[in-house]
Each structure stands twice: as C-alpha cells, then as structure tokens.
Amino acid sequence: MAGHRVCAFAVAACVATSAPAASAQRRTDPPEPPPNVLAPPRLPAPLVLPELAHPRTDLALTWTVGRGSTNLGARPDVSLAFVRGQMEGSILGYRRLYAGITWDYAAALAPDSGVNDDTTPLARSGRHSALGNIEPHVRAVFPLTQGLLFGFVLGGMLPTSSIDRNGPMPSAMVAAASMEPTDYAHFLPGHFAVRPAGDLRLVRGPFVFQARQGLDILIDEAGIERARTAGRILLHAGVAPSRTFEASIEASQIYFFFTEDPPDPPDPSLPADERAAVQRRNSALERYRISDDRRTAYTVGPSFRLSFPNVDMGVGLVTNLFSPLSPSLDSFIALRMSVVAHFR
C-alpha cells in the first residue's frame, strides 16, 4: 500500500514540474498546425510580392534606386529612388488570416517643370521627395493541394501624402513610381482607394510561380477628378533548388481602364500673355493625360534571394518594357534590394 502511495506521489510530482515547462514552451514556440490541416512551406520572400504563408509577423523594407533617360532636352537624365515599408502579421488561425500596412516613400528630380505648371525653369538640383498614401490591408490565404495556394487581399488607401497637386512635385513622383507602377495610387495626392486583389502560388519541385491580380478604385477626396479604376498584375517565376535560395524573374503591369478628356482650349477673349500661359499649362496637362495610347506600363527584371531563419535578403534589377509610366521618361534602369525580418 505504501508503495502505491509513493508511486502516486512521484507521478503527481512529475506532472506538477512538467506543466510550467510545457506552458512556457507553448508561449514561446510558434503554434503547430491542427491535425489534418495542410501547412504550406514558407519560401524566400519575393521582392514585389509578399510571402503568402509566413507563420507570424514580417517587417520588410525594399529599396529601388535608378536613373531614367528623359525625352526632354533640358534634362537628359534624372535620378530616381523608391522605398517601400511593409509590416504584416498573422491574426487568426495558422497561416490563414493576416493584417498589415504599406507605406511608400519616393524621391526624384522632376523630369519637367510640372504637371500643372509648365512655366517654372528646370534646375539641375532640386530633388523632390514625399511619403505616399498609407495603405492598411487584410489578407487571407487558402492551401489547396501540396504546393498550391490561393488567397485574397483587400487594401484601403488613405489620403495621407504631402504631395502638392501643382508644380514639379507630381512629375517627380510619377517618375519615381515608374519603377513600381503598381504603387502608382500611393502617389496620387488627396485620393482614397479601394484595392482588392487575388493571389496564387504554385510550387512544383524547384519551380515557383506566384501572381497577384488586382484593381485600384481611385476616389478624389476633393471631387476635382471623377472616380477612376486601374488594373494591376504582379508576376514572379523562379527556380528554388533549396528553401534558402531562389533565382527568379519578376514583372509588373498597370493598366488604366479610363481615359481623360483633353484640356479645354484657351479663351480667345483673353489677353495674349494669359492665352500663352494657359496654352503652356495645357501642354503640360496633355503630356500627362491618360489617353488611348498611354494606358499601360510594364516593368521586368531578374532577382536573387536568400532566406535564413530570421531574415530574408534579395537583390535584383528592374527596367521598363515599352514606355514607362512617366510620359517624360524614355527608359530607366534600377537596382532593387530587399530585407525581410521575421518575428516569431
């Protein structure tokens, strides 16, 4: 009888001492996926798209710096810079629902004197920079079979940018956004936007394909411009011989579903100097007007990425196909770098 009591006491002591350790382990370790639920593997984060199945919270910074060749004689080339900051974390379930935020920053020399003012002389200096509109989002991902995921994302852009509608600032922002045309909406001053999109990732052996297709519904808070819609596509195709390295090609496209009416001609009754000023402004407006022959812009470039337990790093090149987003640029070439920190 005494032996049974000793055994019972020993078992109780083992349970009591192991319970705090198990509780501490549950607090520090990432949650295990429920049984019979597919857990998609995490891959190195793309440079232009999120890693769809990261388990906890990611903080990403992407830098793009380049030089654009202009079609203007007064300034043959301009420097361009673009920084995207993103944070996204899992908020429900195991790699199923995420919430995050994106905030862009751009800096560039204006290729011309501005969208609404074509009278300001060009200067060799005078870089213009600004934070773009902030965009919170929610995203859901659904694993299907092994190696196949799809998902949806809904972003809501807020008019937080400090970009002046007049002068050279808009042309500088459009020039910088030419390197990331699918973020064009972030540099529209005074605009709200609803940004739904669909995601797809397919992994077959070492081959990885990921795509996002979305819409931008753009609303001017001041009512100066009518509501407009644009489509965007981001593509990633690569070869990953291991979970730590991938070589890939990334491409993006923005397509404007709308066209803008040409500016009204100057009133013939105006004095000659005022008519000339209106004509100069109209010339600048016409250059940036979304017309039938200026509805889309493409970028493409190679990239390489490394993945470690707590950080991913990537580097790549990007250039334009056909005409860039900015009508004042003939072409551009840029270096893109990315760092993604994983917090578990």
Side-chain angles (χ1 to χ4, degrees):
M1 192 71 178
H4 289 299
R5 291 178 180 174
V6 171
C7 290
F9 180 80
V11 170
C14 290
V15 171
T17 56
S18 62
S23 176
Q25 185 177 9
R26 284 194 298 269
R27 287 194 300 268
T28 57
D29 292 347
E32 293 296 327
N36 302 322
V37 175
L38 186 65
R42 186 179 70 80
L43 294 174
L47 273 67
V48 298
L49 288 166
E51 207 296 309
L52 292 185
H54 63 87
R56 283 296 181 88
T57 300
D58 280 3
L59 179 63
L61 280 175
T62 303
W63 298 267
T64 308
V65 292
R67 182 165 293 273
S69 299
T70 76
N71 48 39
L72 305 171
R75 174 171 283 161
D77 53 64
V78 294
S79 56
L80 311 168
F82 190 102
V83 180
R84 178 193 293 118
Q86 292 177 303
M87 183 177 68
E88 184 181 75
S90 176
I91 60 174
L92 181 64
Y94 186 86
R95 304 182 183 183
R96 292 296 184 272
L97 187 63
Y98 299 83
I101 194 168
T102 301
W103 206 353
D104 292 345
Y105 170 86
L109 291 173
D112 54 18
S113 56
V115 175
N116 296 324
D117 179 8
D118 201 32
T119 61
T120 306
L122 286 171
R124 286 292 173 184
S125 60
R127 182 188 66 183
H128 299 277
S129 60
L131 286 166
N133 299 313
I134 196 168
E135 181 190 355
H137 71 268
V138 292
R139 182 172 66 84
V141 63
F142 305 97
L144 296 180
T145 61
Q146 188 67 39
L148 177 63
L149 299 105
F150 78 96
F152 302 96
V153 59
L154 178 62
M157 193 186 71
L158 305 176
T160 59
S161 75
S162 58
I163 301 170
D164 187 358
R165 290 177 183 262
N166 300 311
M169 177 71 83
S171 64
M173 295 298 100
V174 173
S178 296
M179 300 184 296
E180 301 279 359
T182 54
D183 277 7
Y184 166 74
H186 285 226
F187 296 98
L188 289 176
H191 278 70
F192 292 94
V194 180
R195 309 188 80 203
D199 287 320
L200 173 70
R201 190 182 79 183
L202 178 64
V203 181
R204 288 292 182 266
F207 300 102
V208 180
F209 176 80
Q210 186 171 333
R212 169 172 288 183
Q213 184 171 9
L215 290 175
D216 291 347
I217 303 170
L218 310 170
I219 303 169
D220 187 354
E221 65 170 345
I224 299 174
E225 302 172 357
R226 71 178 191 272
R228 303 177 294 175
T229 305
R232 50 194 167 91
I233 298 176
L234 298 103
L235 300 174
H236 171 96
V239 178
S242 70
R243 295 297 182 192
T244 60
F245 173 76
E246 183 185 2
S248 61
I249 294 290
E250 296 186 328
S252 65
Q253 178 197 13
I254 187 170
Y255 182 85
F256 300 102
F257 294 106
F258 58 90
T259 58
E260 296 174 334
D261 296 329
D264 295 330
D267 187 346
S269 63
L270 292 175
D273 56 343
E274 293 185 21
R275 288 201 310 273
V278 171
Q279 189 60 47
R280 287 192 296 269
R281 287 193 293 271
N282 285 354
S283 176
L285 288 171
E286 179 63 25
R287 182 184 306 132
Y288 285 85
R289 181 173 68 91
I290 304 299
S291 57
D292 287 336
D293 58 351
R294 203 178 75 82
R295 281 195 173 192
T296 189
Y298 300 86
T299 67
V300 67
S303 63
F304 303 91
R305 301 174 300 144
L306 289 172
S307 180
F308 302 99
N310 297 315
V311 66
D312 290 356
M313 295 183 293
V315 62
L317 295 175
V318 60
T319 188
N320 60 289
L321 284 179
F322 313 113
S323 298
L325 177 66
S326 172
S328 294
L329 295 180
D330 281 333
S331 63
F332 71 87
I333 183 71
L335 175 68
R336 181 184 283 146
M337 298 169 287
S338 175
V339 175
V340 183
H342 310 295
F343 299 94
R344 305 183 188 279

